Amino acid sequence: MKMNEELWLVVVIAAVWAVLAAVYALIPSLGMPGYVRVWGGGAVLFLILAGVLVAVSRKAPRG
Amino acid sequence: MSERHFTTRRGFIAALGFSAVSLYGAWAAYGAAPLPFGGRKDAAPEPDAHGGHGAAAGMAPEEFRFEHDFFVQKYAQKDGSVNPHADADAHGGDAHGGHGHADAGHDHGAELTSVEPVDVYLMAQKFAYSPDVLRLKAGVPYRFRMMADDITHGASIQLGSASRIIRLRPNVVTEQSITFTKPGEYLVYCTVYCGQAHDAMHGRIIVG
Amino acid sequence: MDSISTSVARVGSRSRLTARVAALPGTDKALLALLFGAALLALVLGLVGGFVTALARAGALAFFPDDAYRLLTLHGVSVFFYWLYLIQAVLMLVLAAAENGRGLALRPLAWTGATLMLAGFGASEWISATGTPLLYDGSPELAADDPRSVGFFALGYLLLSAGLVASAVSGIATVLQPRLRGEASEFTSIGFALFAWAGFLVVSAIAATNAFLPGLLWSLGAGPFPADHGTEWHILFHNLHYLPLMATVLVWYVLSEQLTGVKSIHGARLSKIVFAAYLVFVPPTSLYHMFLEPNLSESVRVIGSLLSLFVSVPTLAAFAIIVSSLEASARAHGATGFFGWMRGLPWRNPAMANMGWAVVNMMLGITFAFVLIQEKLAPMLSDTFFVPGYFHFFAVGVLTQTFLAALMVILPALGGGTLWRPELLRCMPALVTIGLLVFGAAGIAAGFMGVPRRVFDIGYDGIAPAAWPVLMALVGIGATIFAIALSVSVYGVVRTMLSLRPSLEQAPVVDWRTGSRGVGAAPAWTGPLSVAALVAAMYVFTIVAFQLIQSSPIIAIGGGHGH
């Protein structure tokens, strides 16, 4: 499947959010568990959207 | 593409997006941002930078309440104000005479030097401060320990052409080292909406 | 000197956008009209609440404290939540439907989303008007003895959030339809922006749920008291800033093409990167809202401040793309003069006037936003009137005027009517900006002096500086000017929406479409010079703020350091 920039951009968004969520999760002294939930939730969402893009590319009629 | 003027090229356009990052220069010039090689100087340098960091480490709300009550009782004046220099003034001491206001467990006055800040306790609660009038002295460093007793409040200080905005969360002891450089009467006021009489919540710091 | 060899678009001709909106199925049009109407109602309620609040702060009106803070609550809830979220949801849906060309996908879900959002609107407005005043952040500690107010307030926002998720899912499914049909192998830049924006709306709903579900559970006796609401609110608040800015830039893209025929001369890829950049820069730049929090460590404060320097990257990049594309296209059509090319823009079209002045307001807003994001300056400015002073440039000048511009283009196509009095409407954005300048200048000066953000009576038994009430009176005058001008614009949009009489006479547009050949050969200095002026202004006001701190009669350390 062709990896166009749209897919990469969505994956990068998910990755950045996941890293930020991990930082807040792994450093409890920051004291902001809400950031883990929101940015982590966002990371999962954009991973799902990346999956949707892949699925749509596979499902789309060729021609 | 090659015939394009540089102002219409992608790289230039993308770089423009980062223009505001250059404000770092102003921050660094005022010592308000870390410098790559030269460390970091404070925007408002304090002669003794032990400042507000660490002294209240671990101070529990109950300990604060105890210290606050002691502070208010010990230094209460007949006019209702609180003056941490009262003892020293009565005995003809200098401006730093009040800083040994002894926490409950031990008198640490003997450990203090002339630049040791004087402890001041300020409690915010609906819809007043305790103490609501503080008498302080210009040029003396104070260690303000502050806490909101019920809900979030502000304990901001109006300073003429500017203000020092302070936000207090309930049961979180906040500490700031403050030295007033000019005598005067300063308004202390709540800058976080706290309920029906929020507008009336204020106190005074009288600096002599 | 600056004549442009392009004709005004043919009278009666429809653009791709308006033609597709006009051709939407009736059920989609009904849904969109319902949401546009609800969004405008929220704007009207917020505008009235804000105007009365400003007059009260200016001392022209007097209220009992609870009533005054209820008005402030209504203002904030109506504008920041229901106007901005409803208009974003409906713009996302209508633009997605236009991208698709065949209406909305997952239509029942879109209707469910609308129903939930409207239910939330009703709940929030009712409890804001009748309950304990909680302001728009709904802090539960203000009503610890009134769980009912906390619960209904939280319920309103949670319903809105659920509706946003349903609408966003429908929007995402809609922009994917051309690809599913095999008509496209990738998104247009607008399509990708809609896809990312819809995802962002869902994240905003997650943030709202994170902030308000604990309050609802507590009110039902099913959870502990939400003591951390302040921190959770900041996360939502940050989304609340970024999301409509991304929407604004997207609308500028759409309107630029609509009004001039110009698409980005830098290609769809760069635009997609810029739209993705909004989402990349959101999480790292969020800490500056918390600089006054006592439990934020000094190192986090410094890092947060440095990261915040990147907060404007996507917006300035998008601005540069749009302005350089317009300027290069105008010059390719013969425009000359350093700034003279701008005279060729269709300023007689109210949508163009709203968009153009929105850009001016954006420059003003960003200038002062960058004063606030410095952690050493926040203890002088946060929680003061500096904040509403600068963010009204964004909320009114940029966001509201941009979204009204979109309505002025979309509503005639959607309802088949005519734009109400374009000659009058095109004058309003300048008036709004004048009002905002008075409001902002006085408000920012008041903020520097420490006037609290949320206090109606600033007398403090006569201890407060004498300048405070004077500045608040100026704030009231500025608010009156922009409230009147904005009301005219809103009235015009509502009349347009209700208009059933089609007209061949359309608001003017120009056609600067051109091939790639020759575009960009001439210098395009408007964007770089504007950004240079912006940075210079940032420097000036940042230096002013530092000087004020240094000249104040205290030396302080510890910006709310907690332990």
Side-chain angles (χ1 to χ4, degrees):
Chain A
M1 196 208 69
K2 185 186 165 192
M3 286 283 191
N4 63 21
E5 74 263 12
E6 293 163 356
L7 183 56
W8 283 115
L9 287 170
V10 174
V11 169
V12 166
I13 292 166
V16 169
W17 290 32
V19 167
L20 262 291
V23 167
Y24 285 107
L26 296 173
I27 310 176
S29 60
L30 290 173
M32 289 178 265
Y35 279 68
V36 182
R37 292 190 288 271
V38 176
W39 302 141
V44 170
L45 171 75
F46 277 93
L47 268 183
I48 292 171
L49 290 179
V52 168
L53 286 179
V54 172
V56 166
S57 297
R58 286 185 178 160
K59 195 177 171 187
R62 297 182 191 280
Chain B
M1 280 306 199
S2 59
E3 72 270 20
R4 278 196 175 183
H5 188 265
F6 78 90
T7 53
T8 63
R9 289 189 184 163
R10 276 187 208 133
F12 181 77
I13 294 298
L16 274 184
F18 288 84
S19 303
V21 179
S22 65
L23 193 62
Y24 177 89
W27 294 7
Y30 279 90
L35 297 166
F37 305 110
R40 177 168 179 263
K41 53 178 183 171
D42 266 319
E46 181 90 335
D48 175 6
H50 73 84
H53 305 272
M59 185 176 236
E62 283 315 313
E63 187 184 355
F64 174 88
R65 287 188 178 92
F66 185 87
E67 293 282 358
H68 161 266
D69 292 349
F70 183 84
F71 174 77
V72 171
Q73 278 176 17
K74 182 171 182 184
Y75 298 117
Q77 305 298 295
K78 286 178 182 171
D79 63 358
S81 66
V82 168
N83 180 358
H85 302 283
D87 288 353
D89 290 348
H91 296 97
D94 67 11
H96 298 279
H99 56 223
H101 92 267
D103 58 28
H106 61 282
D107 184 351
H108 54 171
E111 304 163 19
L112 303 178
T113 67
S114 60
V115 293
E116 189 71 16
V118 177
D119 287 341
V120 169
Y121 291 83
L122 185 72
M123 178 96 83
Q125 53 207 180
K126 288 181 181 177
F127 296 97
Y129 297 100
S130 170
D132 66 345
V133 181
L134 265 169
R135 292 187 181 276
L136 305 179
K137 294 191 173 182
V140 177
Y142 295 95
R143 179 159 49 212
F144 273 73
R145 285 172 167 167
M146 299 166 282
M147 193 182 84
D149 192 35
D150 38 29
I151 66 170
T152 304
H153 293 282
S156 303
I157 307 169
Q158 212 291 321
L159 302 163
S161 57
S163 281
R164 177 81 180 174
I165 306 297
I166 298 167
R167 194 184 290 169
L168 304 177
R169 292 291 185 190
N171 297 317
V172 177
V173 180
T174 299
E175 186 175 298
Q176 298 204 8
S177 285
I178 294 176
T179 305
F180 290 89
T181 57
K182 288 180 188 166
E185 187 170 322
Y186 299 95
L187 169 68
V188 179
Y189 57 119
C190 183
T191 39
V192 178
Y193 175 66
C194 57
Q196 200 170 39
H198 164 61
D199 293 16
M201 185 169 169
H202 69 281
R204 281 180 297 157
I205 297 175
I206 300 166
V207 178
Chain C
M1 179 70 178
D2 49 306
S3 61
I4 299 178
S5 62
T6 52
S7 58
V8 168
R10 187 164 52 85
V11 168
S13 65
R14 278 194 186 278
S15 71
R16 176 177 177 272
L17 171 68
T18 51
R20 287 189 167 199
V21 169
L24 287 175
T27 178
D28 286 354
K29 283 187 174 179
L31 173 67
L32 296 169
L34 176 68
L35 285 175
F36 277 127
L40 285 167
L41 175 62
L43 176 58
V44 170
L45 290 172
L47 192 55
V48 171
F51 181 45
V52 176
T53 298
L55 291 181
R57 291 214 54 158
L61 294 173
F63 294 100
F64 290 115
D66 266 1
D67 292 336
Y69 286 102
R70 261 188 210 105
L71 277 168
L72 188 57
T73 303
L74 273 171
H75 169 53
V77 167
S78 302
V79 171
F80 283 99
F81 280 84
Y82 288 97
W83 158 239
L84 288 181
Y85 275 126
L86 285 171
I87 193 65
Q88 285 182 84
V90 64
L91 283 175
M92 184 264 298
L93 288 173
V94 73
L95 294 176
E99 276 289 299
N100 181 23
R102 301 186 190 181
L104 291 168
L106 303 180
R107 201 165 279 133
L109 198 59
W111 275 96
T112 304
T115 307
L116 288 168
M117 288 190 289
L118 295 182
F121 186 22
S124 291
E125 294 292 330
W126 169 70
I127 199 65
S128 296
T130 60
T132 301
L134 296 174
L135 308 189
Y136 77 139
D137 48 341
S139 176
E141 66 177 7
L142 291 170
D145 55 352
D146 181 12
R148 173 179 160 276
S149 286
V150 174
F152 275 106
F153 195 94
L155 179 66
Y157 283 176
L158 291 170
L159 287 168
L160 171 67
S161 301
L164 281 175
V165 172
S167 302
V169 171
S170 172
I172 288 168
T174 302
V175 289
L176 287 168
Q177 293 304 304
R179 294 172 71 159
L180 283 168
R181 292 195 299 265
E183 295 169 5
S185 60
E186 59 182 10
F187 288 124
T188 62
S189 54
I190 299 296
F192 179 76
L194 288 166
F195 183 78
W197 180 26
F200 202 177
L201 276 167
V202 176
V203 176
S204 204
I206 294 172
T209 305
N210 177 61
F212 287 99
L213 185 59
L216 178 63
L217 293 176
W218 170 74
S219 73
L220 296 171
F225 185 78
D228 287 336
H229 177 83
T231 307
E232 313 303 352
W233 163 257
H234 286 307
I235 309 173
L236 172 62
F237 192 52
H238 188 58
N239 280 269
L240 209 64
H241 280 58
Y242 249 102
L243 190 65
L245 258 186
M246 183 180 179
T248 291
V249 168
L250 198 163
V251 169
W252 287 354
Y253 261 72
V254 171
L255 289 180
S256 295
E257 185 180 350
Q258 170 75 23
L259 299 170
T260 67
V262 173
K263 290 185 178 182
S264 167
I265 62 166
H266 305 289
R269 174 178 288 186
L270 182 62
S271 298
K272 289 176 185 175
I273 291 171
V274 167
F275 283 117
Y278 270 98
L279 293 150
V280 168
F281 284 101
V282 167
T285 55
S286 60
L287 288 168
Y288 70 93
H289 302 289
M290 299 189 64
F291 285 159
L292 241 56
E293 291 302 318
N295 50 4
L296 197 67
S297 72
E298 180 63 15
S299 55
V300 173
R301 246 178 255 282
V302 173
I303 293 168
S305 207
L306 290 175
L307 288 171
S308 299
L309 279 170
F310 294 88
V311 77
S312 69
V313 169
T315 303
L316 287 184
F319 164 78
I321 289 173
I322 293 170
V323 172
S324 70
S325 299
L326 288 172
E327 183 173 359
S329 300
R331 295 199 186 286
H333 279 272
T336 55
F338 213 65
F339 295 117
W341 68 272
M342 282 193 278
R343 287 184 215 153
L345 290 165
W347 294 108
R348 298 179 72 84
N349 187 322
M352 181 70 234
N354 272 280
M355 185 170 73
W357 284 102
V359 173
V360 173
N361 280 280
M362 183 190 76
M363 291 298 184
L364 292 164
I366 289 182
T367 298
F368 294 103
F370 268 71
V371 179
L372 193 63
I373 62 172
Q374 190 358 275
E375 53 114 1
K376 296 288 181 199
L377 300 180
M380 180 170 67
L381 301 171
S382 292
D383 292 344
T384 72
F385 209 89
F386 180 92
V387 179
Y390 95 85
F391 78 56
H392 276 76
F393 285 121
F394 281 117
V396 177
V398 183
L399 307 179
T400 298
Q401 294 204 112
T402 295
F403 297 148
L404 287 175
L407 292 177
M408 289 170 187
V409 168
I410 290 169
L411 287 181
L414 187 74
T418 308
L419 183 61
W420 182 80
R421 297 199 182 182
E423 286 298 314
L424 177 65
L425 291 181
R426 75 183 177 87
C427 301
M428 293 304 115
L431 260 181
V432 168
T433 305
I434 290 169
L436 283 169
L437 277 170
V438 176
F439 180 94
I444 287 166
F448 274 121
M449 289 189 74
V451 174
R453 179 180 172 183
R454 290 162 173 167
V455 171
F456 281 83
D457 178 358
I458 50 169
Y460 296 110
D461 292 340
I463 312 173
W468 281 15
V470 178
L471 290 168
M472 285 297 100
L474 286 170
V475 161
I477 291 169
T480 303
I481 295 169
F482 78 69
I484 290 170
L486 197 63
S487 299
V488 173
S489 290
V490 173
Y491 179 76
V493 166
V494 172
R495 285 292 300 265
T496 303
M497 192 175 174
L498 299 175
S499 161
L500 297 171
R501 193 177 49 191
S503 167
L504 281 178
E505 196 82 12
Q506 291 188 24
V509 296
V510 295
D511 188 357
W512 287 353
R513 271 176 297 185
T514 177
S516 60
R517 195 176 166 194
V519 174
W525 283 108
T526 306
L529 286 177
S530 304
V531 173
L534 170 73
V535 172
M538 283 177 180
Y539 262 80
V540 167
F541 287 103
T542 298
I543 289 168
V544 166
F546 275 123
Q547 290 297 124
L548 268 175
I549 279 195
Q550 290 190 345
S551 65
S552 67
I554 63 165
I555 301 166
I557 282 191
H561 195 92
H563 303 277

mmCIF file of all heavy atoms in Angstrom, chain C residues 474-497:
data_model
loop_
_atom_site.group_PDB
_atom_site.id
_atom_site.type_symbol
_atom_site.label_atom_id
_atom_site.label_comp_id
_atom_site.label_asym_id
_atom_site.label_seq_id
_atom_site.Cartn_x
_atom_site.Cartn_y
_atom_site.Cartn_z
ATOM 1 N N LEU C 474 -13.485 52.936 29.811
ATOM 2 C CA LEU C 474 -13.047 52.827 28.415
ATOM 3 C C LEU C 474 -13.341 51.432 27.856
ATOM 4 O O LEU C 474 -13.711 51.270 26.684
ATOM 5 C CB LEU C 474 -11.551 53.141 28.309
ATOM 6 C CG LEU C 474 -11.181 54.619 28.450
ATOM 7 C CD1 LEU C 474 -9.669 54.787 28.582
ATOM 8 C CD2 LEU C 474 -11.699 55.415 27.259
ATOM 9 N N VAL C 475 -13.168 50.433 28.713
ATOM 10 C CA VAL C 475 -13.512 49.065 28.299
ATOM 11 C C VAL C 475 -14.988 49.007 27.904
ATOM 12 O O VAL C 475 -15.367 48.411 26.890
ATOM 13 C CB VAL C 475 -13.190 48.064 29.444
ATOM 14 C CG1 VAL C 475 -13.946 46.747 29.257
ATOM 15 C CG2 VAL C 475 -11.690 47.806 29.521
ATOM 16 N N GLY C 476 -15.823 49.650 28.719
ATOM 17 C CA GLY C 476 -17.256 49.671 28.425
ATOM 18 C C GLY C 476 -17.558 50.379 27.111
ATOM 19 O O GLY C 476 -18.412 49.935 26.339
ATOM 20 N N ILE C 477 -16.846 51.469 26.846
ATOM 21 C CA ILE C 477 -17.060 52.206 25.583
ATOM 22 C C ILE C 477 -16.643 51.335 24.394
ATOM 23 O O ILE C 477 -17.366 51.214 23.403
ATOM 24 C CB ILE C 477 -16.262 53.531 25.603
ATOM 25 C CG1 ILE C 477 -16.882 54.487 26.630
ATOM 26 C CG2 ILE C 477 -16.240 54.174 24.214
ATOM 27 C CD1 ILE C 477 -16.016 55.708 26.929
ATOM 28 N N GLY C 478 -15.480 50.713 24.513
ATOM 29 C CA GLY C 478 -15.020 49.833 23.426
ATOM 30 C C GLY C 478 -15.987 48.693 23.197
ATOM 31 O O GLY C 478 -16.326 48.362 22.052
ATOM 32 N N ALA C 479 -16.460 48.087 24.298
ATOM 33 C CA ALA C 479 -17.392 46.968 24.181
ATOM 34 C C ALA C 479 -18.684 47.424 23.514
ATOM 35 O O ALA C 479 -19.271 46.689 22.705
ATOM 36 C CB ALA C 479 -17.685 46.386 25.560
ATOM 37 N N THR C 480 -19.134 48.634 23.837
ATOM 38 C CA THR C 480 -20.368 49.142 23.229
ATOM 39 C C THR C 480 -20.200 49.275 21.716
ATOM 40 O O THR C 480 -21.084 48.879 20.940
ATOM 41 C CB THR C 480 -20.727 50.516 23.841
ATOM 42 O OG1 THR C 480 -20.845 50.351 25.251
ATOM 43 C CG2 THR C 480 -22.020 51.045 23.273
ATOM 44 N N ILE C 481 -19.036 49.796 21.303
ATOM 45 C CA ILE C 481 -18.809 49.984 19.860
ATOM 46 C C ILE C 481 -18.805 48.640 19.142
ATOM 47 O O ILE C 481 -19.517 48.429 18.151
ATOM 48 C CB ILE C 481 -17.473 50.729 19.614
ATOM 49 C CG1 ILE C 481 -17.540 52.143 20.184
ATOM 50 C CG2 ILE C 481 -17.142 50.770 18.122
ATOM 51 C CD1 ILE C 481 -16.184 52.863 20.224
ATOM 52 N N PHE C 482 -18.010 47.689 19.665
ATOM 53 C CA PHE C 482 -17.939 46.436 18.900
ATOM 54 C C PHE C 482 -19.196 45.587 19.053
ATOM 55 O O PHE C 482 -19.547 44.830 18.148
ATOM 56 C CB PHE C 482 -16.641 45.670 19.156
ATOM 57 C CG PHE C 482 -16.523 44.868 20.429
ATOM 58 C CD1 PHE C 482 -17.283 43.717 20.634
ATOM 59 C CD2 PHE C 482 -15.592 45.208 21.402
ATOM 60 C CE1 PHE C 482 -17.136 42.959 21.787
ATOM 61 C CE2 PHE C 482 -15.444 44.452 22.554
ATOM 62 C CZ PHE C 482 -16.232 43.326 22.749
ATOM 63 N N ALA C 483 -19.893 45.750 20.193
ATOM 64 C CA ALA C 483 -21.134 44.983 20.359
ATOM 65 C C ALA C 483 -22.191 45.459 19.366
ATOM 66 O O ALA C 483 -22.906 44.642 18.769
ATOM 67 C CB ALA C 483 -21.643 45.114 21.788
ATOM 68 N N ILE C 484 -22.274 46.772 19.167
ATOM 69 C CA ILE C 484 -23.264 47.301 18.216
ATOM 70 C C ILE C 484 -22.914 46.850 16.801
ATOM 71 O O ILE C 484 -23.766 46.342 16.044
ATOM 72 C CB ILE C 484 -23.324 48.840 18.299
ATOM 73 C CG1 ILE C 484 -23.964 49.259 19.636
ATOM 74 C CG2 ILE C 484 -24.105 49.421 17.124
ATOM 75 C CD1 ILE C 484 -23.866 50.751 19.930
ATOM 76 N N ALA C 485 -21.646 47.001 16.431
ATOM 77 C CA ALA C 485 -21.243 46.629 15.069
ATOM 78 C C ALA C 485 -21.426 45.131 14.827
ATOM 79 O O ALA C 485 -21.923 44.712 13.775
ATOM 80 C CB ALA C 485 -19.783 47.036 14.842
ATOM 81 N N LEU C 486 -21.054 44.350 15.829
ATOM 82 C CA LEU C 486 -21.196 42.901 15.671
ATOM 83 C C LEU C 486 -22.675 42.511 15.600
ATOM 84 O O LEU C 486 -23.051 41.599 14.852
ATOM 85 C CB LEU C 486 -20.514 42.189 16.847
ATOM 86 C CG LEU C 486 -20.206 40.708 16.648
ATOM 87 C CD1 LEU C 486 -19.210 40.498 15.514
ATOM 88 C CD2 LEU C 486 -19.649 40.104 17.930
ATOM 89 N N SER C 487 -23.505 43.227 16.362
ATOM 90 C CA SER C 487 -24.947 42.940 16.328
ATOM 91 C C SER C 487 -25.514 43.167 14.934
ATOM 92 O O SER C 487 -26.381 42.413 14.471
ATOM 93 C CB SER C 487 -25.690 43.819 17.333
ATOM 94 O OG SER C 487 -25.236 43.554 18.628
ATOM 95 N N VAL C 488 -25.020 44.211 14.277
ATOM 96 C CA VAL C 488 -25.485 44.463 12.909
ATOM 97 C C VAL C 488 -25.083 43.301 12.003
ATOM 98 O O VAL C 488 -25.888 42.803 11.194
ATOM 99 C CB VAL C 488 -24.903 45.803 12.378
ATOM 100 C CG1 VAL C 488 -25.249 45.988 10.894
ATOM 101 C CG2 VAL C 488 -25.428 46.975 13.198
ATOM 102 N N SER C 489 -23.846 42.841 12.154
ATOM 103 C CA SER C 489 -23.399 41.701 11.336
ATOM 104 C C SER C 489 -24.244 40.459 11.619
ATOM 105 O O SER C 489 -24.666 39.755 10.692
ATOM 106 C CB SER C 489 -21.927 41.378 11.634
ATOM 107 O OG SER C 489 -21.096 42.389 11.125
ATOM 108 N N VAL C 490 -24.493 40.208 12.892
ATOM 109 C CA VAL C 490 -25.279 39.020 13.251
ATOM 110 C C VAL C 490 -26.700 39.158 12.722
ATOM 111 O O VAL C 490 -27.269 38.207 12.173
ATOM 112 C CB VAL C 490 -25.276 38.818 14.785
ATOM 113 C CG1 VAL C 490 -26.222 37.697 15.186
ATOM 114 C CG2 VAL C 490 -23.862 38.508 15.273
ATOM 115 N N TYR C 491 -27.246 40.360 12.875
ATOM 116 C CA TYR C 491 -28.603 40.586 12.346
ATOM 117 C C TYR C 491 -28.637 40.334 10.836
ATOM 118 O O TYR C 491 -29.552 39.696 10.314
ATOM 119 C CB TYR C 491 -29.049 42.019 12.653
ATOM 120 C CG TYR C 491 -30.424 42.351 12.128
ATOM 121 C CD1 TYR C 491 -31.566 41.878 12.765
ATOM 122 C CD2 TYR C 491 -30.585 43.131 10.974
ATOM 123 C CE1 TYR C 491 -32.828 42.157 12.282
ATOM 124 C CE2 TYR C 491 -31.852 43.425 10.483
ATOM 125 C CZ TYR C 491 -32.972 42.939 11.141
ATOM 126 O OH TYR C 491 -34.212 43.213 10.647
ATOM 127 N N GLY C 492 -27.620 40.817 10.163
ATOM 128 C CA GLY C 492 -27.554 40.614 8.714
ATOM 129 C C GLY C 492 -27.478 39.138 8.348
ATOM 130 O O GLY C 492 -28.123 38.687 7.390
ATOM 131 N N VAL C 493 -26.728 38.401 9.120
ATOM 132 C CA VAL C 493 -26.606 36.963 8.845
ATOM 133 C C VAL C 493 -27.933 36.254 9.114
ATOM 134 O O VAL C 493 -28.365 35.381 8.347
ATOM 135 C CB VAL C 493 -25.458 36.370 9.698
ATOM 136 C CG1 VAL C 493 -25.519 34.854 9.706
ATOM 137 C CG2 VAL C 493 -24.109 36.834 9.164
ATOM 138 N N VAL C 494 -28.599 36.650 10.210
ATOM 139 C CA VAL C 494 -29.894 36.032 10.519
ATOM 140 C C VAL C 494 -30.914 36.368 9.430
ATOM 141 O O VAL C 494 -31.661 35.495 8.968
ATOM 142 C CB VAL C 494 -30.398 36.505 11.908
ATOM 143 C CG1 VAL C 494 -31.833 36.039 12.156
ATOM 144 C CG2 VAL C 494 -29.479 35.983 13.005
ATOM 145 N N ARG C 495 -30.930 37.637 8.999
ATOM 146 C CA ARG C 495 -31.852 38.021 7.910
ATOM 147 C C ARG C 495 -31.539 37.239 6.643
ATOM 148 O O ARG C 495 -32.440 36.841 5.892
ATOM 149 C CB ARG C 495 -31.738 39.527 7.637
ATOM 150 C CG ARG C 495 -32.409 40.416 8.672
ATOM 151 C CD ARG C 495 -33.933 40.283 8.650
ATOM 152 N NE ARG C 495 -34.498 40.646 7.360
ATOM 153 C CZ ARG C 495 -34.965 41.850 7.052
ATOM 154 N NH1 ARG C 495 -34.951 42.810 7.973
ATOM 155 N NH2 ARG C 495 -35.461 42.093 5.855
ATOM 156 N N THR C 496 -30.249 37.034 6.405
ATOM 157 C CA THR C 496 -29.852 36.259 5.226
ATOM 158 C C THR C 496 -30.370 34.828 5.337
ATOM 159 O O THR C 496 -30.862 34.236 4.372
ATOM 160 C CB THR C 496 -28.315 36.243 5.113
ATOM 161 O OG1 THR C 496 -27.856 37.593 5.046
ATOM 162 C CG2 THR C 496 -27.859 35.482 3.880
ATOM 163 N N MET C 497 -30.271 34.292 6.536
ATOM 164 C CA MET C 497 -30.707 32.912 6.758
ATOM 165 C C MET C 497 -32.210 32.775 6.540
ATOM 166 O O MET C 497 -32.692 31.766 6.021
ATOM 167 C CB MET C 497 -30.343 32.507 8.182
ATOM 168 C CG MET C 497 -30.478 31.036 8.451
ATOM 169 S SD MET C 497 -29.888 30.685 10.109
ATOM 170 C CE MET C 497 -30.331 28.976 10.195
#
